[in-house]
Amino acid sequence: MPERPPVVPAGPVVPQTHRAAPSRSYLWAALLRCALYLGPLSVAAAAAEPLTRVAWPVPMATFLLGWAAAQALTCTGVSVARRAGPSAAARHVGLGFAGVAGLWCSLVWIAPPAVIGPDRGLALVIGLGGLGTLATVTAALVTRAEAAIVLWSLPCWALAGITLAEIKPVGTLLPAAIVIVVIRAFQPVVVPGRRARRPRLSPAELRRGGGYLVIGASQAICVGLVWQAGPSGSTAPFWLPLLLAVPILEALIGWHTRQVESGLDTAESGADYHRHVRGVTLITLTGLVPPFAVGVSLALAAYRLPAGLPGFADTQSGVLGLAGGTLLGGVFAITYLLAARSRTGIAATLAAAPPVATAALPFLPLPSSGPLPDAVAVLAATHLAGLLVIALTAQPADPPSQ
């Protein structure tokens, strides 16, 4: 099995060849990553007013480009950091996001006003701010600077609180806060020092990075599908279960990875190791079933609401939005868990299944209840398929050498 540094979920998690080395508690690592993800969320909350002045494809396209790039660059950046150090890894991430930023500028330049809104300059700034925020998260993961970036993101959290409390407009304070965090995240590149040569990625590493690119793009598209299918683009019902599930699922994936690695130290033989992995997988499956059960229950409850209920349509859509967010969180967890166990190709296929199936539904002779019910049904089917795939791939990709 290919070697890897300490676990970095939300990016690549690749099993290692040698016995598990001591590292930070997986619970602490999960909490730290969740705090790191609050940076982009706080920026989005603080930019609520400017976001209302651009068309919805602007934040959606920004998220699609940024999230896909973050997944691929985290995967390849971990390999670069392992071989050439944090400076080369930060430069690798910076060059990747610089290319994405150039692509965004080109898209804003050629896009019609109906797609980006009346203010082309504002759309450009919003996109660059979102990409910069996701770049800081990626750089923090590959350089192992998560705690520092969380601290430097506190001004963004404060601006989000000011915006939500409607105390006063944040104005140019938000762009300034983003720039400060970007500079800190790419400190290994900004501060003069010894420059390590960026190593050439191997074909296997490029394929793995391509798999994570597909995973990231597919996840962003799924978010857009459920978001836009909801009532009047409402985000509250959709985001709530997804946000609540992130810390739990991060801890579950971290526990699974740690337990599989610990089997390398405790197993007396290859057969013992396989039994250990199967037991860990069974416990993990038990933890992944509740999102599926809750999501399906919410979807069924949405269709059992009394038709005479005031605001019936909006209530039903809200409950379906909760179901979609719950199922989507489970699909995310299953995808990352498969990738963490070196099943990147399977994970990418599973992640791409909901967007592909949703695009194919209008051309199939099947009844349709609308975009949101169709999205929920596709996510439920994908979640169930993912549970079966994890159960069928319980054996480790490569047995440990004794």
Side-chain angles (χ1 to χ4, degrees), residues 27-128:
L27 287 176
W28 167 248
L31 290 175
L32 195 58
R33 286 190 300 271
C34 291
L36 185 65
Y37 305 153
L38 287 177
L41 291 176
S42 63
V43 168
E49 191 277 329
L51 286 173
T52 61
R53 293 190 276 127
V54 295
W56 70 265
V58 170
M60 196 63 250
T62 300
F63 180 59
L64 173 61
L65 293 174
W67 191 248
Q71 297 300 311
L73 291 171
T74 303
C75 177
T76 53
V78 166
S79 299
V80 173
R82 184 178 62 238
R83 290 186 295 184
S87 177
R91 188 162 63 252
H92 174 78
V93 172
L95 290 174
F97 269 97
V100 176
L103 175 60
W104 174 252
C105 293
S106 301
L107 292 175
V108 172
W109 179 264
I110 64 175
V115 175
I116 62 174
D119 193 335
R120 196 176 297 268
L122 180 61
L124 178 66
V125 171
I126 287 176
L128 292 178

Side-chain angles (χ1 to χ4, degrees), residues 54-245:
V54 295
W56 70 265
V58 170
M60 196 63 250
T62 300
F63 180 59
L64 173 61
L65 293 174
W67 191 248
Q71 297 300 311
L73 291 171
T74 303
C75 177
T76 53
V78 166
S79 299
V80 173
R82 184 178 62 238
R83 290 186 295 184
S87 177
R91 188 162 63 252
H92 174 78
V93 172
L95 290 174
F97 269 97
V100 176
L103 175 60
W104 174 252
C105 293
S106 301
L107 292 175
V108 172
W109 179 264
I110 64 175
V115 175
I116 62 174
D119 193 335
R120 196 176 297 268
L122 180 61
L124 178 66
V125 171
I126 287 176
L128 292 178
L131 293 175
T133 305
L134 290 171
T136 63
V137 174
T138 308
L141 290 171
V142 301
T143 62
R144 312 304 300 170
E146 298 98 320
I149 298 306
V150 169
L151 291 176
W152 283 69
S153 298
L154 291 179
C156 296
W157 297 14
L159 293 175
I162 292 173
T163 301
L164 294 176
E166 299 181 351
I167 297 176
K168 63 178 181 179
V170 297
T172 58
L173 293 176
L174 181 59
I178 294 173
V179 170
I180 291 173
V181 181
V182 169
I183 292 175
R184 174 57 185 87
F186 291 94
Q187 183 181 12
V189 178
V190 176
V191 176
R194 182 176 177 272
R195 301 299 187 198
R197 184 177 181 181
R198 188 158 59 101
R200 186 183 297 273
L201 295 172
S202 68
E205 290 168 337
L206 290 174
R207 286 194 298 271
R208 194 158 55 242
Y212 272 95
L213 182 69
V214 173
I215 290 172
S218 301
Q219 290 176 342
I221 293 173
C222 287
V223 170
L225 288 174
V226 181
W227 174 39
Q228 283 302 302
S232 303
S234 175
T235 58
F238 161 58
W239 282 110
L240 183 59
L242 193 57
L243 292 177
L244 293 175

Side-chain angles (χ1 to χ4, degrees), residues 249 252-253 256 260 277-289 330-341 343 346-347 350 382-396:
L249 298 177
L252 179 63
I253 294 174
H256 176 96
V260 170
V277 172
R278 286 196 294 269
V280 171
T281 301
L282 178 61
I283 297 174
T284 305
L285 277 172
T286 304
L288 291 173
V289 168
V331 172
F332 278 18
I334 290 171
T335 301
Y336 283 134
L337 181 60
L338 289 169
R341 300 187 48 194
R343 311 280 184 175
I346 299 176
L350 192 68
T382 304
H383 199 307
L384 179 59
L387 294 175
L388 296 175
V389 168
I390 290 178
L392 294 175
T393 58
Q395 290 294 107

